[in-house]
Amino acid sequence: MIETTAHAQLDLFQQRRKTLLALIQRQLELLDSLDMKGWQETLHRVEKRLQVDSFKVLILGESKGGNSTFINAMLGDKVLPAYAKPCAAIINEVKWGERKRALLHYTNSPDNGAKLVKEIPIDKIEEYVVIKDKISELKENPYEKLELFCPLEICRNGVEIIDFPGLNFREIRQKATRDYISTVDAVLFVLSSGFLSSQRELNFMDNSLLSMGHKDIFFVCNQINQIRAKERESIKEYAFSKLVSPTKRGKKSIFFIDALGALEGRLELDEVRLNQSGVPELEKELATFLTNQKGRLKILQADQEFKGAIREAQRIIPERATLLITGVKTLERRFETAQKTLNLLELERQQIVIRLSNFIKDTQPFIHQKIQQFLDVITETKIAEWMTEYELEEPFRFLKLECLTTQIEKVVEEVKNHLAQRIETEFFTWQFSELQPFLTARLESLMRELEKRAEVFVKNIENLRVDLIVGTSTSQNVITYQETKVSLLERVIAASGGFSLSDSVAGVLGTAFDFQKMVKGLIAQTVLFAVTSAFADLNPFILIPAMLIGGIVQGDWKNESTNDEIKKAVTEKFINQICTDTYQRSNELSNAIVQKISKIKDAIDQEFCQEIQNIRDQVDSILKEKQKGQSNVEQKLYELVTIRKILDAIDSELNELITQVATM
């Protein structure tokens, strides 16, 4: 019954999404009839986003936490391999497909061309997703991700499962942060009930998940069945004390499950065991979250752009009617007079774009300098301090029954991960205390200036429309200036990618554009992406041959001094490599930030250009219709009446749909 409820919720959302897509199709036909090319492009973008959009659920956790078994339990089939060895050295994306098949994506492309993709047999997945014996093989893995297509019910309802275990590997953490976290709808953090929330996991939550706005994390405490019955309550209390604060959903987002029991219960049609596993309750809560929060937001975002197209069409219809009954000579004279104003508007657009370009050019050196200063402090004092106080978890031991190379490799990996984690944590702390306030102050000042210039620009556009339509006086049918301003600025945020920042979007839906919220989200998102790749190529594994040959491991049976020498060598390698590449790294980070800001510039340029072009398109369209003769004009006037009725019907149906969505 619980499973049916969960699937029903997701199915209801899909029905409403399809209804919205059908309305958009009808609206696109009207826009074509009204020669509203700019709005057609906008609505086509909305349509495409809705068609391909799905609920992306990211499964995170450290190796051996039971991620694969948990995902298989959700899917009701043994889709992913679950072995004793750590799995998922590559990402697994599980999606809907009519038949089972697996596509393997390579990390690099030959000759800088398209990345290679090859289909592999389902029963050979283990060969590609299981980490082998050597830690360093993780860096040598040529594969980026594995796409699995399966005819599974949860995937049929528009859910994609992204398997991302292996947070104990820094490269995995970085890829999750850089490529996935900003785009997913829900994060399920899988933990082992026997070992809850390591420091590495807590750091990842703070630095990556929470800073990206994921305040609704689902914590999945797996293998609760392996905890002795009399100890389970104390384990649960401990979990609540550690995990309640990172999620605003409180205890409702913390689940204690038996993934293996759920999987076997589904495979063996054992409903009692399935219900005892705790997985169905989690799935129901997840489905509610996806449909009621994320699903509602997806539709409401599309609704805002859709409403903009409707409002614009409602204005265009009476304008076109007035222009159609205006004499050709009068219309040509007005259009000729309007050329001077159009040219001035074009000049103003160019000046705004130049202002934005100059701002970006002036800001980049400041960002570069601040990042370089941060790196200098890190290399001069911090790294050595961190390593001095760090105690190895798995130190080198001469008497250990393990080859010397493997032991050294493990120590090097541990030291490397510890230093990288400390650098990332330090960077995030510095980012919030120094970099973000600096950028926010500069951007907010710029945005206030742009908002004033946008107001003047839009007002001039409106005055020009009035001059073209009625000569001098204001028409009652013209949409108010404030509505036009909101419409334009909403389109700017959509075109600049602002709708990917859910908290910011939630704050501006149905209101005027909120630059400050977008600025803060923009900075957090950009810096987060930049830091995850900043130190990705630091590779201390090249030190291992030298350690074996002559320098560090000399067989003197002094374990402590050998470990200290390994720590020292890796630390020096880190410092030297960062110092060598400080300028380049500062440049990469500052470039990443200004490229994100450039999206605002490109969006404003595009939308202002569109406003000017819309006027030219409408007048050109009307003149062509009038040149076809009076009977054609009368036919077009009649069509406008029909179009208005259809438009009003679409508007009414859209309002009804949004009312239903609001009550989900």
Side-chain angles (χ1 to χ4, degrees):
M1 185 65 181
I2 291 176
E3 289 188 84
T4 303
T5 303
H7 289 310
Q9 288 177 298
L10 293 168
D11 185 60
L12 181 60
F13 166 77
Q14 294 301 336
Q15 291 176 27
R16 287 170 175 165
R17 182 180 67 89
K18 290 175 182 177
T19 300
L20 181 57
L21 281 167
L23 289 173
I24 288 175
Q25 278 289 342
R26 290 164 60 189
Q27 179 69 14
L28 282 169
E29 292 177 8
L30 296 187
L31 295 179
D32 184 58
S33 300
L34 296 170
D35 286 305
M36 297 174 63
K37 297 181 180 64
W39 276 102
Q40 278 181 281
E41 292 177 8
T42 297
L43 216 53
H44 272 305
R45 288 198 299 267
V46 176
E47 179 187 38
K48 183 177 179 181
R49 191 170 69 231
L50 279 171
Q51 285 173 338
V52 302
D53 209 356
S54 59
F55 291 119
K56 293 180 172 58
V57 178
L58 182 63
I59 314 293
L60 293 169
E62 296 202 343
S63 297
K64 299 184 181 181
N67 294 52
S68 298
T69 302
F70 168 60
I71 293 173
N72 288 338
M74 291 182 68
L75 300 173
D77 196 0
K78 290 183 178 179
V79 177
L80 295 178
Y83 302 98
K85 289 183 178 180
C87 292
I90 58 177
I91 304 102
N92 300 302
E93 296 181 356
V94 185
K95 304 175 181 179
W96 166 258
E98 294 290 343
R99 63 181 179 87
K100 284 186 178 182
R101 64 192 187 104
L103 297 179
L104 190 65
H105 294 250
Y106 284 77
T107 301
N108 299 315
S109 58
D111 303 322
N112 296 320
K115 291 184 179 180
L116 295 177
V117 179
K118 74 173 181 179
E119 187 161 355
I120 61 172
I122 291 287
D123 58 0
K124 299 294 184 183
I125 290 176
E126 178 187 358
E127 297 178 13
Y128 301 96
V129 305
V130 175
I131 299 170
K132 308 303 181 187
D133 294 328
K134 289 188 176 183
I135 294 173
S136 57
E137 288 185 10
L138 180 65
K139 299 184 72 65
E140 300 165 6
N141 194 330
Y143 311 117
E144 179 181 20
K145 69 178 181 180
L146 187 74
E147 276 188 297
L148 293 171
F149 297 89
C150 303
L152 300 164
E153 191 63 29
I154 190 171
C155 298
R156 184 197 296 272
N157 281 313
V159 176
E160 293 181 14
I161 306 291
I162 304 167
D163 178 24
F164 232 125
L167 291 181
N168 36 325
F169 293 103
R170 182 171 60 90
E171 290 79 4
I172 294 290
R173 295 198 307 273
Q174 288 177 332
K175 186 161 186 61
T177 303
R178 184 179 66 248
D179 297 342
Y180 285 86
I181 288 176
S182 68
T183 64
V184 299
D185 297 293
V187 175
L188 275 62
F189 214 121
V190 181
L191 308 163
S192 171
S193 294
F195 186 69
L196 292 170
S197 60
S198 67
Q199 188 59 48
R200 182 165 43 234
E201 289 170 323
L202 292 173
N203 287 339
F204 187 80
M205 277 188 281
D206 291 338
N207 296 342
S208 297
L209 298 180
L210 298 179
S211 63
M212 281 302 298
H214 284 287
K215 299 173 184 176
D216 302 284
I217 306 169
F218 286 72
F219 292 103
V220 183
C221 304
N222 192 17
Q223 301 162 345
I224 189 64
N225 56 302
Q226 297 181 18
I227 304 297
R228 295 174 61 189
K230 65 179 183 180
E231 296 177 358
R232 289 179 190 172
E233 285 306 313
S234 62
I235 288 291
K236 290 181 179 181
E237 288 303 316
Y238 177 76
F240 291 145
S241 68
K242 287 285 186 180
L243 304 176
V244 163
S245 58
T247 173
K248 66 181 182 182
R249 297 168 59 83
K251 292 184 178 181
K252 285 178 62 180
S253 276
I254 302 174
F255 297 86
F256 301 90
I257 68 159
D258 169 16
L260 182 59
L263 175 59
E264 293 180 347
R266 281 187 166 136
L267 291 175
E268 298 168 11
L269 302 180
D270 187 341
E271 189 172 344
V272 173
R273 189 173 184 191
L274 172 62
N275 290 331
Q276 289 175 344
S277 72
V279 170
E281 287 82 1
L282 165 60
E283 291 172 338
K284 179 185 176 183
E285 191 64 29
L286 176 62
T288 300
F289 172 75
L290 290 175
T291 54
N292 290 4
Q293 293 193 40
K294 296 300 181 177
R296 180 189 292 130
L297 188 59
K298 290 175 188 290
I299 290 179
L300 290 178
Q301 289 169 0
D303 170 65
Q304 287 301 297
E305 295 171 90
F306 196 168
K307 280 289 189 184
I310 290 175
R311 286 199 301 266
E312 192 73 7
Q314 288 171 336
R315 173 174 62 181
I316 288 292
I317 289 172
E319 286 185 3
R320 285 181 70 86
T322 303
L323 290 172
L324 281 167
I325 61 176
T326 302
V328 172
K329 295 294 183 183
T330 300
L331 184 55
E332 288 177 339
R333 186 178 65 252
R334 289 178 186 173
F335 193 42
E336 181 64 30
T337 303
Q339 295 305 310
K340 181 178 179 181
T341 304
L342 285 169
N343 291 335
L344 289 174
L345 285 168
E346 177 63 28
L347 181 61
E348 173 64 10
R349 179 193 67 79
Q350 294 173 6
Q351 289 175 345
I352 290 173
V353 172
I354 291 171
R355 172 72 180 93
L356 281 162
S357 298
N358 289 337
F359 171 84
I360 292 169
K361 185 178 179 180
D362 293 341
T363 300
Q364 185 164 8
F366 287 105
I367 300 172
H368 186 281
Q369 182 183 26
K370 285 183 175 293
I371 294 171
Q372 195 159 1
Q373 289 171 348
F374 165 79
L375 292 175
D376 288 342
V377 172
I378 288 290
T379 54
E380 290 171 8
T381 60
K382 297 283 187 179
I383 292 179
E385 291 177 4
W386 295 335
M387 215 63 258
T388 300
E389 63 190 28
Y390 181 66
E391 294 292 332
L392 291 169
E393 295 177 4
E394 291 190 57
F396 179 92
R397 297 275 187 248
F398 277 103
L399 298 179
K400 199 172 183 179
L401 296 178
E402 193 171 23
C403 75
L404 297 181
T405 303
T406 302
Q407 283 200 65
I408 294 173
E409 201 172 70
K410 286 183 177 179
V411 174
V412 169
E413 173 71 10
E414 183 182 333
V415 173
K416 181 197 73 169
N417 279 339
H418 176 71
L419 287 175
Q421 181 177 302
R422 290 300 300 265
I423 290 173
E424 288 175 10
T425 301
E426 192 78 11
F427 194 98
F428 278 104
T429 301
W430 170 82
Q431 172 232 297
F432 285 114
S433 63
E434 293 191 36
L435 183 60
Q436 191 175 109
F438 164 75
L439 287 174
T440 299
R442 284 183 66 86
L443 280 167
E444 285 181 349
S445 175
L446 173 71
M447 293 307 174
R448 283 193 294 270
E449 175 191 337
L450 289 179
E451 191 165 17
K452 290 179 181 178
R453 296 184 74 163
E455 288 178 7
V456 174
F457 183 90
V458 173
K459 190 171 184 179
N460 287 334
I461 285 282
E462 289 308 295
N463 289 337
L464 180 58
R465 278 197 173 105
V466 171
D467 290 342
L468 283 168
I469 297 166
V470 293
T472 55
S473 60
T474 303
S475 169
Q476 292 181 350
N477 291 320
V478 177
I479 301 295
T480 66
Y481 155 67
Q482 182 61 29
E483 287 175 317
T484 309
K485 171 191 165 188
V486 171
S487 172
L488 174 63
L489 294 177
E490 282 174 353
R491 296 211 306 276
V492 169
I493 189 175
S496 64
F499 278 140
S500 65
L501 305 171
S502 58
D503 285 346
S504 299
V505 174
V508 301
L509 285 175
T511 65
F513 184 68
D514 190 333
F515 280 121
Q516 293 186 6
K517 286 187 177 181
M518 198 203 75
V519 165
K520 291 176 182 177
L522 180 72
I523 294 167
Q525 186 183 62
T526 305
V527 177
L528 179 66
F529 290 159
V531 73
T532 57
S533 57
F535 306 102
D537 57 350
L538 292 177
N539 183 15
F541 285 105
I542 61 176
L543 295 171
I544 292 174
M547 293 177 181
L548 286 168
I549 293 172
I552 294 174
V553 182
Q554 299 180 0
D556 59 2
W557 309 100
K558 294 179 180 179
N559 294 318
E560 185 175 348
S561 61
T562 297
N563 284 308
D564 288 342
E565 288 299 318
I566 296 174
K567 287 167 58 178
K568 181 180 177 182
V570 177
T571 301
E572 288 176 353
K573 175 65 179 176
F574 250 67
I575 293 173
N576 290 337
Q577 196 162 346
I578 292 174
C579 288
T580 301
D581 302 334
T582 293
Y583 184 86
Q584 178 185 341
R585 296 185 190 286
S586 301
N587 209 42
E588 289 172 357
L589 287 166
S590 58
N591 281 339
I593 294 170
V594 299
Q595 284 173 11
K596 199 72 177 179
I597 299 171
S598 293
K599 286 191 174 184
I600 302 174
K601 179 198 72 168
D602 295 340
I604 289 175
D605 188 19
Q606 175 184 332
E607 295 305 324
F608 281 21
C609 230
Q610 181 175 312
E611 287 294 312
I612 296 170
Q613 190 59 41
N614 282 344
I615 291 178
R616 298 185 189 277
D617 289 343
Q618 285 298 312
V619 175
D620 286 343
S621 171
I622 294 298
L623 286 172
K624 288 177 182 177
E625 297 297 346
K626 292 180 74 64
Q627 288 167 2
K628 294 176 183 178
Q630 184 59 31
S631 60
N632 181 69
V633 168
E634 291 174 358
Q635 175 65 28
K636 291 299 175 182
L637 286 169
Y638 176 78
E639 288 177 4
L640 286 176
V641 175
T642 304
I643 289 173
R644 181 57 194 248
K645 290 179 180 178
I646 298 172
L647 182 65
D648 289 345
I650 292 173
D651 194 15
S652 176
E653 290 176 47
L654 179 60
N655 287 335
E656 183 179 347
L657 174 64
I658 297 307
T659 300
Q660 293 172 359
V661 170
T663 58
M664 281 199 308

